[in-house]
Amino acid sequence: MSVRPMLEQRAGVRAALRDCLDRQGFIEVDTPVLSREVLPEAHIEPIIVSAGDDVARFLQASPEALMKRLLAAGAGAIYQFARCFRAGERSPRHDTEFVMLEWYQPGATLAETAVLLEQLLARSLGTSGLERISCTTAFKQFAGADPVAANADELAAAVERQGLQLPQGFGGLTESARWSLCFNLLLSEVVAPQLGHQQPAMLESWPAAEAAFARLDRQDPRLARRFEVFVSGVELVNGWEEEPSPAILRSRIEAANAIREVDGRRVLPLPSKLLAAHGDRMPAGVGAALGFDRLVMLAAGSESIDQVRGFSSADA
């Protein structure tokens, strides 16, 4: 695809998403790319930037922390096309710098978000419908294991049945670390490639151990109100019903930092301003992040996000 048609397609997809969200009452916002705070995550490495003083600043891996501070200040339903940065990420579907569409909808449920997702994907990709499938159903069907009920050894057996290799030193890890590694290996290599081929698929009811910052299901605390959306086997959206409790948020951030420390990576500072914003002022609702470059890649029928961008980190 030559430059002009590619740019027109990106602009067209962006305009379609904007129109859909604007019609739903969302407001587009901008938040800083550079911040003194970063939201620590176990497997995402932020980029640290010097501003000529002794204060560490971070290029944001996502606008989540800053958008949530707007939510706590009463912003209401908001969205942003954000420039995001993650160290060490480079593949046909990843890059150090990329564009993410992130939105937050106070008061929304997963059922309402499913309707919104169906509309967004219909407008941008021309798809019809949205399959909603639980992690238990998908893993049983494609990997032969139920991640909600299985322990680490049972998931490891499923990994081996799929012909996948467990990393060296696997046996020396803790039970929780072994379970998480097997879950994510089966998800990325076995389950995800099978999802979203007939219509977009919303994978939900995640094991509580993979809740990230999602609230747990009140009817079954073994499950988290988290979801991911797949189109043609490509992970496109990640989100959840938000956990508003500052105490729970802090405990999950500390758990992420503990994993980072075990992995020999930098322990990141707690985002004190984000934690202070949680509590009574933080509305319940749904937050979601959509990989915009991946969406345009799918719309164009391309194999790499580099084919639908003017520049990549390799040639910028």
Side-chain angles (χ1 to χ4, degrees):
M1 185 185 298
S2 61
V3 171
R4 181 68 184 190
M6 178 271 292
L7 295 175
E8 289 175 345
Q9 184 153 41
R10 284 182 70 89
V13 172
R14 194 189 302 257
L17 296 171
R18 273 199 176 106
D19 181 65
C20 190
L21 290 167
D22 290 345
R23 288 175 182 270
Q24 296 286 336
F26 287 79
I27 295 176
E28 186 172 6
V29 300
D30 297 293
T31 57
V33 168
L34 195 63
S35 175
R36 297 187 181 197
E37 290 193 353
V38 67
L39 185 57
E41 297 187 62
H43 305 295
I44 294 177
E45 199 63 37
I47 297 174
I48 303 173
V49 176
S50 171
D53 54 26
D54 294 330
V55 179
R57 290 176 173 82
F58 303 89
L59 290 173
Q60 297 299 290
S62 92
E64 180 175 356
L66 291 158
M67 291 183 77
K68 284 182 173 177
R69 286 166 60 186
L70 290 180
L71 286 175
I78 54 176
Y79 72 93
Q80 177 175 188
F81 288 92
R83 288 281 173 183
C84 301
F85 302 83
R86 299 180 182 183
E89 297 202 8
R90 183 75 177 121
S91 77
R93 297 177 187 173
H94 301 82
D95 204 354
T96 306
E97 180 180 355
F98 60 97
V99 178
M100 179 184 291
L101 168 61
E102 190 150 329
W103 71 87
Y104 293 88
Q105 187 173 20
T109 63
L110 291 191
E112 292 165 327
T113 298
V115 174
L116 176 59
L117 285 163
E118 184 175 349
Q119 294 171 349
L120 289 169
L121 296 177
R123 288 288 303 274
S124 57
L125 295 178
T127 56
S128 177
L130 179 73
E131 178 189 15
R132 298 181 67 181
I133 182 171
S134 70
C135 275
T136 290
T137 298
F139 272 71
K140 280 185 174 180
Q141 180 178 351
F142 301 116
D146 178 0
V148 176
N151 60 29
D153 290 337
E154 290 165 336
L155 283 190
V159 168
E160 292 175 346
R161 286 196 301 271
Q162 295 295 328
L164 301 173
Q165 289 287 335
L166 292 168
Q168 188 174 7
F170 174 79
L173 300 175
T174 64
E175 162 78 12
S176 61
R178 288 187 295 119
W179 184 94
S180 180
L181 191 153
C182 291
F183 172 85
N184 285 288
L185 189 59
L186 289 169
L187 175 62
S188 63
E189 300 299 322
V190 179
V191 177
Q194 302 297 324
L195 298 176
H197 291 282
Q198 301 302 317
Q199 61 181 188
M202 182 174 176
L203 184 67
E204 50 190 308
S205 297
W206 284 52
E210 292 291 320
F213 302 124
R215 74 170 181 84
L216 300 186
D217 192 306
R218 294 187 178 93
Q219 303 302 316
D220 187 349
R222 299 177 306 160
L223 305 177
R225 302 286 287 174
R226 178 179 175 179
F227 68 90
E228 288 187 0
V229 175
F230 298 84
V231 176
S232 299
V234 176
E235 179 201 340
L236 194 58
V237 187
N238 179 33
W240 45 71
E241 288 184 6
E242 299 287 348
E243 172 52 67
S245 165
I248 293 176
L249 178 65
R250 185 186 183 105
S251 70
R252 293 186 185 174
I253 290 172
E254 290 173 344
N257 263 332
I259 294 172
R260 295 179 62 85
E261 186 172 24
V262 169
D263 289 345
R265 290 181 290 129
R266 175 181 176 139
V267 172
L268 298 169
L270 291 176
S272 57
K273 292 180 180 178
L274 172 63
L275 290 169
H278 270 68
D280 294 340
R281 294 182 298 164
M282 185 62 71
V286 173
L290 180 153
F292 178 74
D293 299 312
R294 291 186 188 180
L295 180 66
V296 180
M297 178 191 78
L298 290 168
S302 299
E303 297 296 323
S304 168
I305 60 173
D306 288 351
Q307 296 171 330
V308 294
R309 302 187 297 167
F311 300 95
S312 72
S313 64
D315 58 20

